[in-house]
Amino acid sequence: MCDHHHLRSPAQVGIVDHISSLSDDFGELVESEDYADITLIVENTCFKSHKVILAARSEYFRALLYGGMKESQPGTTEVELPDTPAQAFGALLKYMYTGRMNLLEMKEENLLDILGLSHRFVFVELETAISDYLKAILRLQNVCCIYDLANMYSLTSLCNFCKDFMDRHASEILTFEPFLSLSLNSVRDLLARDSFCAAEIDIFRAVCEWAKANQGIDPTPILDVVRLPLMSMEDLLNDVRNTGLVSSDAILDAIKLQLESRDMDLKYRGFLLPEENIATTRHGAQVIRGEMKAALLDGDIQNYDLDRGFTRHPIDDNNGQGIAVKLGHPYIINTIKLLLWDKDMRSYSYYIEVSMDDKDYDRIIDHTIYLCRSWQKLHFPPRVVRYIRVVGTHNTVNRVFHLVSLEAFYTNKPFQLDQGLIVPSTNVASIKHSACVTEGVSRSRNALINGETRHYDWDSGYTCHQLGSGAIAVQLAQPYMVSSMRLLLWDCDDRSYSYFVEVSTDQQKWHRVADRSKEACKLFSVVSVLCLQVFHCVHFECPADSSTGNLLQSVSSASSSGVSGSITSGPLHSPGLNRSTSAADRASLGTPLPMFCHEEQSLQRCTGGGNGLGMMGAGAQTAGGAGAMAELLHTHHRHSSTSSHASSSSNNLELPSPRLMNMDMYARPESQQDVPEADRIDTQ
């Protein structure tokens, strides 16, 4: 052994790191017979080794040499390893001693052998490293061999990577000679995928060639995943029948299915490009129906106004043709994003259908009874589609449907659906998700949902309404199934509030999901000092975002007193002030604040369509405990009464079962320029 070590400089004073020299010293043991106590025989080649090192590095050798097997009996000096390639084992043995292997110097056939040995001898880190390297050098010439090996050893990540690669080159793989060397299981698993997209007759012909090259193996399991109904009748009768591989009954069943089934009921294949928008001209997509076609797929989501930048269709006399997009190829998608024209406060209703032949359509999204605005992110079970049709059914301003952008793609990100609607896992009552505040008094329209929970004071950072008239209303961009909400009530002094929350899907039938209008919910015994007649809310989120931690605690630490309070009811009379009047209080004393209002004439509480949520204050008073924060929480699918009571200092409220909401509430009958009477705060 070498008496001289090349020491690396320590990373810092006091840290000794001689791993490199240790690896070098152990590496020298591989090349010599010093201290060897076991001989491994591989293809008539002897490898002198050391039991303790083998056992320390491999669970396989630990069990073999010290686990009570015959190889572990005293006096055993030789162990034969059958079915083990010597060259690959030599490289693996050196790795066991040194922890190093240069994959760049390996030939591919040896690399595959080493991958098999690393799996057999349970070297997980080496197996992962080789798999990652093989992914980087994957190409048509080697993908079949790598895929077959990965499938044999159940290397899921490498196997899926190979399948994705073969999906993208399906037609070429079928005519490539290495395809014939794949195992039966590998061929069956590959061809069973919806994303292995090639002409079905080409797939069948490739299976016939595989059967000829693998005489003695029954191809029936592979033939079972060939989709005969996707072939033309001519191909079935002239090509398939003549091979003798498929029975006449199976051919007749395929023909019958073609003739009697809807086109969208057939099990099509489609290309799969995860997280990539395939509704683009680069992928061959084109708008085939709709007015001003060029704007929809140009990728410009910034430059649009009243006259340009959108595609449209008349809502009346359209015969359901809507706006139709033809994709360049059949694709597998589970997500569509739409940008509805949103330069004012109008809302739309619509539905989306998909087809493979532009004749037989399936409806995958139905928002005809909801009011939607701006960005729509829509999920659904994966579908193979060639045509996408968006049909508008309502516009709150006129009888034209305007669509600025359409994207279609397949996402691997998890999502949850309930009755076809998204169950959001994060707060969707935010500007980022195109929500907007449609009613309330504030210096800026969307202060309630801008995510700011710290920087608010007497004059700004909150939204309010006068008690007894009006409300604070939030409209979500699209309908969601939600089960929780969270409010931050203004808490810069000692006041506390009472309120209730209602939700609706049509702006006509309202469901009260939280009622704190009569309950006294406090953390401390308090003495009323001042009672005001305005309800102030700083922040709203839906569903409650648990990732932000305990908002109750984080907000209270920034409040004036640093004490988190709760929501309590108070009398509606107003004694005199004992401090300088703030903007937060002027509304109740007769000094109006700047106000925003809904701009659409046709949205009305009693007669208009829509879906919404509104918060209405029932009382306000100051109290000795500061910080009014309410969390409205509900366990999914857990039913409770409409009116619920606070049971702990965190003010958790049990809500009814998850509600369908697209929150738009209390819109006004006045013109776009008018300030609604319900929200007008006049001088007393």
Side-chain angles (χ1 to χ4, degrees), residues 280-523:
T280 63
T281 54
R282 181 171 67 89
H283 288 97
Q286 57 181 314
V287 181
I288 59 175
R289 281 189 294 278
E291 301 174 8
M292 304 168 65
K293 298 181 178 68
L296 186 61
L297 305 181
D298 62 3
D300 187 355
I301 58 174
Q302 301 295 331
N303 301 306
Y304 60 96
D305 52 30
L306 288 168
D307 303 313
R308 61 188 176 89
F310 54 83
T311 301
R312 67 188 181 190
H313 78 80
I315 293 176
D316 302 317
D317 302 323
N318 185 249
N319 297 320
Q321 295 303 300
I323 298 170
V325 174
K326 179 182 179 181
L327 303 178
H329 301 280
Y331 285 101
I332 301 174
I333 62 173
N334 64 0
T335 303
I336 291 177
K337 287 180 65 177
L338 305 179
L339 175 55
L340 306 177
W341 195 90
D342 59 355
K343 292 301 184 180
D344 58 18
M345 291 300 295
R346 74 183 63 196
S347 298
Y348 298 89
S349 303
Y350 64 91
Y351 61 85
I352 300 178
E353 296 179 326
V354 296
S355 174
M356 283 294 293
D357 61 359
D358 198 27
K359 297 177 183 177
D360 182 31
Y361 276 88
D362 269 355
R363 187 168 299 188
I364 57 172
I365 300 293
D366 191 344
H367 287 175
T368 55
I369 62 173
Y370 312 120
L371 291 183
C372 308
R373 67 177 308 276
S374 196
W375 278 106
Q376 311 284 292
K377 189 169 185 179
L378 311 163
H379 296 302
F380 44 89
R383 297 293 300 266
V384 180
V385 306
R386 185 71 188 274
Y387 297 87
I388 301 173
R389 183 166 69 187
V390 184
V391 181
T393 60
H394 184 60
N395 178 342
T396 58
V397 172
N398 54 44
R399 300 302 295 169
V400 180
F401 181 76
H402 307 86
L403 189 57
V404 177
S405 175
L406 182 148
E407 301 177 10
F409 53 94
Y410 181 90
T411 182
N412 288 315
K413 298 176 183 177
F415 58 84
Q416 182 182 352
L417 298 177
D418 187 346
Q419 302 176 41
L421 297 174
I422 296 174
V423 180
S425 58
T426 58
N427 175 28
V428 293
S430 65
I431 298 173
K432 174 183 176 182
H433 291 88
S434 302
C436 67
V437 180
T438 59
E439 185 166 347
V441 181
S442 179
R443 294 190 182 278
S444 61
R445 174 180 295 279
N446 291 316
L448 185 67
I449 56 174
N450 64 5
E452 181 57 67
T453 59
R454 291 181 178 274
H455 300 98
Y456 58 95
D457 53 27
W458 298 91
D459 299 313
S460 62
Y462 55 84
T463 301
C464 63
H465 80 86
Q466 211 172 16
L467 300 184
S469 64
I472 297 173
V474 177
Q475 179 183 357
L476 302 185
Q478 65 189 72
Y480 294 97
M481 294 295 290
V482 298
S483 58
S484 63
M485 306 171 197
R486 184 158 63 167
L487 311 177
L488 170 58
L489 305 181
W490 192 86
D491 59 352
C492 291
D493 62 10
D494 298 337
R495 74 188 66 194
S496 54
Y497 299 89
S498 301
Y499 67 94
F500 59 84
V501 179
E502 294 180 337
V503 299
S504 175
T505 60
D506 58 8
Q507 289 196 11
Q508 298 181 25
K509 297 179 181 178
W510 293 88
H511 303 276
R512 187 166 297 189
V513 294
D515 193 341
R516 286 299 183 86
S517 60
K518 299 179 181 178
E519 305 297 329
C521 310
K522 7 183 183 180
L523 287 173

Side-chain angles (χ1 to χ4, degrees), residues 15 30 44 155 244 265 306 361 472 553 588 610 627:
I15 301 297
V30 181
N44 298 320
L155 305 178
D265 289 337
L306 288 168
Y361 276 88
I472 297 173
Q553 296 178 359
S588 64

Side-chain angles (χ1 to χ4, degrees), residues 158-216:
L158 180 59
C159 188
N160 289 337
F161 192 90
C162 291
K163 287 179 180 178
D164 291 341
F165 181 92
M166 298 169 89
D167 286 346
R168 294 192 296 271
H169 302 87
S171 297
E172 298 167 278
I173 292 294
L174 293 174
T175 59
F176 215 62
E177 186 175 351
F179 176 81
L180 305 179
S181 64
L182 289 174
S183 68
L184 183 145
N185 288 338
S186 294
V187 175
R188 182 194 59 208
D189 293 348
L190 180 65
L191 301 186
R193 291 163 61 87
D194 291 342
S195 54
F196 191 81
C197 188
E200 207 65 29
I201 186 60
D202 292 339
I203 292 176
F204 179 79
R205 289 168 180 163
V207 173
C208 292
E209 293 300 318
W210 183 92
K212 292 178 183 178
N214 294 270
Q215 295 289 337

